[in-house]
Amino acid sequence: MPDLVIRNLHANITGTDTELLKGIDLQMSKGEIHAIMGPNGSGKSTLSHVLMGHPGYEVTEGEVLFEGQNLLDLAADQRSRAGLFLSFQYPFAVPGVTVANFIRMAVNAHRKGGPDGVDNPVRIPEFRKQIQEAMELLEIDKSMASRSLNDGFSGGEKKRFEILQMAMLQPKIAILDETDSGLDIDALRIVSDGINRLVGPNMGTLIITHYQRILDYVKPDQIHVLMDGRIVRSGGAELAHELETSGYADIAKEVVS
Amino acid sequence: MTAWLDERRQQAAESNEVLSVPSLSDEHWRFTSLRGIDFATYAATVDAVPGEPQGAILAEGEHAGRIVMRDGGVVLDEFSPEVAAQGVVFGSLKRLAEEHSDLVEPVLGTIVGYDEKFAAENGALWTDGLLLHVPAGVKVALPFHAAYEIATAGAAQQWRVIISLGEGAEATLVEEHLKGEPGYANGVAELVVAESAHLTYVVVQDRNNASLHFAAHRAEVAKDATLEWAACSTGSKTGKTRMETRLTGEGSTGRLSAVYVVDGKRHLDLDTTQEHDAPNAVSDLAFKGVLLDDARSVWRGVIRVAEGAHGTDAYQENRNLLLSPKARADSIPGLEIDTNDVRCTHGATAGPVDPMLRFYLMSRGIPAVEAERMIVEGFLEDALERIPDERIRTALTTAVMRRIPIF
Ligand SMILES: Nc1ncnc2c1ncn2[C@@H]1O[C@H](COP(=O)(O)OP(=O)(O)OP(=O)(O)O)[C@@H](O)[C@H]1O
Ligand SMILES: [Mg+2]
């Protein structure tokens, strides 16, 4: 069975009957690169949030299996420790918590494995070495490790720090929600290299994007088009080029007919 | 020899006679009710009660001087001879009011007058406390420490503090109001910071959950002088703490930081002023609180800019995290500006932990309770990180965090 199996997933805004996801099916495994494209407001971020366990949405139908385990039964922190990662389209500022401390807490939470696990904190010198290496690869200035996470960071900086967290947590499946948006040309290459280094037998990624450019660096095995809460088309890398020239209008017509 | 002292007590006593206990109709007491409190039941204390004070968080380590007041009197009055040799005066106010009336007479009752009920009562009834005087040009690196404790349940403690720094002097005083027994504490602190002097003043209020705590701290800061003031309030049932800063000299600075945690049915009232009486002075107030259960906090803060105080830069912010739906925080900022060319800004917020932020932390594998703890600590850290001394900063962080039971 693929590592991530999404079957007929429906979700509403919590406490309302506004349905945003209207039956999503998608399967992927470690080592694979999938991309989701689709118009603004079609439900891409909603899907990523629902998979991560965002409290603002409730699943009304369908199931999600992660390595055979029912993902929807898990709280967000458990999903993360199980190996799911989300690079947020709009990362949150965490005032008063430094980048280094935040990531160290996250790493230690993973090592502990849960509230009932045994504390097994990473040794500080070892952690420092790891984070410094990861920061160097992402060309992040060392001094930023002592700033409050995302607090006053530029849009592009926030995205780099999402990837830094991914690199430190080493997930099995990473959802990257518009991580390429807001990155300058050099940063896009740096971040893409970072993603490519991690994708392999131990990690697969689901890239949500509006642009062909990141897919030139991180070559997708499959592209899915999400419209109005449904995946309306899936195909190979060529689909991105097709969309780039013709937009979503043609697909919309196809779907209607 | 101390006729002046008796005179001031007399003056205060007369004022105290006339003034009644404030009620909700008094502007400064609109949110703090004293109804039902029978102040007469608290027994006045004059003498010290021997014993070791409990629960101080900053008493360890080396100090330039230490004072411990238990009930009405001072049980420990310690002062480094090397620091004394530099002309510094430190110790029991009761003792030094006589020995050093030259230092006490010009200050006592002149910074905090007798026109307010509790200040008047204290002016009449104070029994002891401390004097710290640092002569011009002397910089004392080691901190001074004072602890106040109610040793006998039902006792009243009337404490009084005078700090005066001469030109260019530097000193740090840490005051701790310890848990002790339930009782009534009322105090006044008068701070004089002369030209180019630098005073660090740290007040930790962790009185008993059933105690009443009233305090009027007021500072006058002269030209180019700096007052670095940090308060940490985790105790007392109710009362009022006034923290007033008057910037009397051009280019003076007042940095006022506070963190507080209020739980149960407790009530905390902080009443501040930032009075700009001279041009180009800077005042910067950041108060942050965490409220649990049915607790309530009130912060009332006014920035007053006198005519001619051009180039004023004044800031005030009060942010509250409500960890219970029944907790409540009231922020009442105020601006009274009588001059042009000033920059005054304020901000106030009260709300629960942002569930989206909690989700963000959890999405990194951090369990819910841990995530909440990090958010609360980070929230307070914003105010705490303003405290330059790391030892004090760490102690205050621990002190506030240990009062949040869910962690
Ligand atoms: N909590 C919410 N309350 C109200 N509407 C919501 C909420 N969350 C999502 N929506 C709406 O659902 C739709 C899908 O939003 P979503 O963020 O998933 O779009 P998206 O595909 O990620 O768009 P973009 O490409 O602009 O990032 C949008 O119309 C959005 O306004
Ligand atoms: Mg989106």
Side-chain angles (χ1 to χ4, degrees):
Chain A
M1 200 200 312
D3 294 320
L4 177 66
V5 177
I6 305 171
R7 278 197 201 116
N8 190 32
L9 184 66
H10 290 252
N12 289 3
I13 297 172
T14 302
T16 74
D17 47 20
T18 308
E19 187 171 63
L20 297 180
L21 302 184
K22 303 174 179 173
I24 304 263
D25 289 278
L26 197 152
Q27 305 195 341
M28 66 174 291
S29 282
K30 289 186 285 248
E32 296 175 6
I33 297 170
H34 288 237
I36 293 185
M37 303 185 83
N40 294 128
S42 56
K44 303 181 298 295
S45 293
T46 303
L47 173 62
S48 69
H49 284 143
V50 167
L51 291 176
M52 202 68 237
H54 191 292
Y57 306 100
E58 58 193 4
V59 172
T60 52
E61 217 184 313
E63 65 174 354
V64 181
L65 300 176
F66 189 72
E67 293 188 316
Q69 181 180 204
N70 195 341
L71 191 74
L72 301 177
D73 287 345
L74 305 179
D77 59 313
Q78 295 171 307
R79 297 183 195 194
S80 164
R81 294 194 303 269
L84 188 66
F85 182 85
L86 171 59
S87 167
F88 284 70
Q89 183 176 3
Y90 303 110
F92 286 82
V94 192
V97 182
T98 65
V99 169
N101 269 340
F102 182 88
I103 298 181
R104 192 162 52 84
M105 297 300 252
V107 166
N108 285 339
H110 278 248
R111 291 167 65 109
K112 188 175 177 187
D116 302 328
V118 181
D119 276 324
N120 175 27
V122 57
R123 287 176 48 249
I124 304 247
E126 184 188 331
F127 173 76
R128 197 173 294 144
K129 189 167 154 279
Q130 286 171 2
I131 194 170
Q132 274 174 7
E133 276 172 17
M135 286 174 76
E136 252 164 57
L137 285 171
L138 291 167
E139 298 186 24
I140 294 171
D141 193 276
K142 255 202 274 195
S143 67
M144 288 195 76
S146 54
R147 281 177 58 182
S148 288
L149 180 63
N150 294 331
D151 204 3
F153 286 18
S154 77
E157 283 167 350
K158 287 181 188 170
K159 299 302 175 72
R160 282 195 208 206
F161 279 92
E162 293 292 283
I163 297 304
L164 174 66
Q165 294 176 55
M166 175 178 86
M168 293 297 290
L169 294 176
Q170 308 202 329
K172 294 167 183 161
I173 299 286
I175 306 164
L176 310 181
D177 190 358
E178 294 202 29
T179 301
D180 54 336
S181 299
L183 291 178
D184 64 46
I185 296 164
D186 293 337
L188 181 64
R189 181 187 44 75
I190 293 160
V191 163
S192 300
D193 288 348
I195 298 166
N196 281 328
R197 264 194 303 276
L198 291 164
V199 177
N202 298 318
M203 190 184 98
T205 181
L206 181 61
I207 298 176
I208 295 171
T209 182
H210 287 293
Y211 306 106
Q212 168 63 38
R213 182 170 273 141
I214 188 170
L215 303 179
D216 289 339
Y217 289 109
V218 187
K219 298 253 179 328
D221 301 300
Q222 269 195 64
I223 291 179
H224 311 274
V225 179
L226 187 69
M227 292 181 84
D228 191 26
R230 290 183 188 89
I231 289 176
V232 295
R233 250 185 87 178
S234 297
E238 72 289 345
L239 189 53
H241 293 280
E242 194 183 310
L243 289 169
E244 194 95 328
T245 47
S246 60
Y248 295 109
D250 291 350
I251 297 185
K253 267 183 245 148
E254 276 173 45
V255 173
V256 172
S257 58
Chain B
M1 194 175 106
T2 52
W4 64 271
L5 198 54
D6 296 336
E7 241 167 70
R8 293 215 184 147
R9 280 197 192 278
Q10 188 53 37
Q11 204 188 328
E14 280 163 21
S15 186
N16 185 34
E17 281 288 282
V18 180
L19 295 166
S20 49
V21 172
S23 71
L24 292 175
S25 58
D26 292 279
E27 183 56 28
H28 282 263
W29 297 87
R30 270 172 48 211
F31 295 90
T32 298
S33 169
L34 302 177
R35 244 199 348 220
I37 298 175
D38 186 0
F39 290 93
T41 61
Y42 295 97
T45 53
V46 178
D47 297 322
V49 175
E52 272 292 308
Q54 301 297 315
I57 55 171
L58 283 159
E60 297 296 310
E62 225 187 318
H63 286 96
R66 282 183 61 199
I67 282 272
V68 174
M69 183 172 174
R70 298 187 80 230
D71 287 355
V74 160
V75 292
L76 179 82
D77 190 353
E78 229 175 52
F79 185 26
S80 146
E82 294 93 79
V83 179
Q86 295 177 280
V88 177
V89 180
F90 175 79
S92 149
L93 183 64
K94 183 180 167 189
R95 174 171 62 80
L96 294 170
E98 301 197 12
E99 288 173 27
H100 272 286
S101 49
D102 57 317
L103 299 175
V104 176
E105 189 182 354
V107 182
L108 186 89
T110 65
I111 310 288
V112 176
Y114 307 128
D115 52 354
E116 188 266 346
K117 176 67 183 173
F118 292 95
E121 185 197 78
N122 181 267
L125 302 178
W126 68 269
T127 54
D128 212 336
L130 72 88
L131 167 71
L132 168 60
H133 169 77
V134 184
V138 175
K139 297 179 173 26
V140 186
L142 288 173
F144 292 87
H145 189 270
Y148 313 87
E149 186 176 59
I150 291 176
T152 314
Q157 181 175 57
Q158 297 279 351
W159 53 277
R160 186 118 193 161
V161 169
I162 291 178
I163 305 175
S164 76
L165 299 197
E167 247 181 72
E170 282 185 27
T172 297
L173 174 72
V174 177
E175 270 185 5
E176 295 197 55
H177 297 268
L178 303 175
K179 184 156 179 268
E181 295 293 326
Y184 165 59
N186 183 24
V188 168
E190 295 172 291
L191 285 49
V192 181
V193 191
E195 196 171 318
S196 302
H198 191 297
L199 173 64
T200 303
Y201 183 46
V202 180
V203 182
V204 181
Q205 194 269 93
D206 189 35
R207 295 270 189 194
N208 195 290
N209 279 354
S211 283
L212 307 173
H213 180 84
F214 293 84
H217 312 254
R218 183 170 169 85
E220 291 195 355
V221 187
K223 185 168 181 290
D224 297 325
T226 302
L227 169 64
E228 183 81 51
W229 189 343
C232 171
S233 291
T234 50
S236 74
K237 171 88 182 85
T238 187
K240 187 191 259 298
T241 297
R242 286 161 58 194
M243 297 172 62
E244 304 181 349
T245 304
R246 181 167 164 233
L247 300 162
T248 58
E250 178 155 12
S252 52
T253 303
R255 252 161 67 92
L256 320 162
S257 315
V259 288
Y260 49 89
V261 176
V262 198
D263 62 359
K265 290 191 185 310
R266 300 192 300 115
H267 180 107
L268 182 72
D269 178 327
L270 302 173
D271 201 324
T272 67
T273 69
Q274 294 155 263
E275 302 165 41
H276 286 253
D277 283 2
N280 303 316
V282 178
S283 69
D284 176 359
L285 177 149
F287 281 18
K288 293 203 143 189
V290 175
L291 292 110
L292 303 111
D293 311 323
D294 299 295
R296 182 140 180 221
S297 70
V298 181
W299 165 75
R300 213 190 127 82
V302 66
I303 295 174
R304 211 170 280 142
V305 184
E307 206 180 323
H310 54 82
T312 286
D313 187 349
Y315 180 73
Q316 52 176 202
E317 83 173 313
N318 177 221
R319 313 228 174 258
N320 294 284
L321 210 44
L322 308 178
L323 296 188
S324 141
K326 283 189 286 174
R328 175 170 163 185
D330 290 296
S331 304
I332 308 123
L335 296 176
E336 295 170 15
I337 302 175
D338 287 325
T339 193
N340 298 321
D341 173 34
V342 298
R343 206 169 67 133
C344 297
T345 36
H346 59 220
T349 52
V353 168
D354 179 358
M356 298 307 127
L357 181 56
R358 190 200 293 116
F359 167 63
Y360 183 67
L361 269 67
M362 288 177 71
S363 79
R364 279 17 180 173
I366 299 167
V369 173
E370 180 76 354
E372 193 133 329
R373 192 191 60 74
M374 282 174 78
I375 293 167
V376 172
E377 195 171 327
F379 166 82
L380 292 171
E381 186 60 31
D382 255 10
L384 288 163
E385 74 185 6
R386 294 158 49 106
I387 299 166
D389 184 303
E390 191 181 336
R391 196 176 76 99
I392 295 174
R393 191 168 60 234
T394 311
L396 297 193
T397 307
T398 312
V400 285
M401 291 310 288
R402 74 176 177 200
R403 291 297 295 233
I404 304 174
I406 51 172
F407 310 135

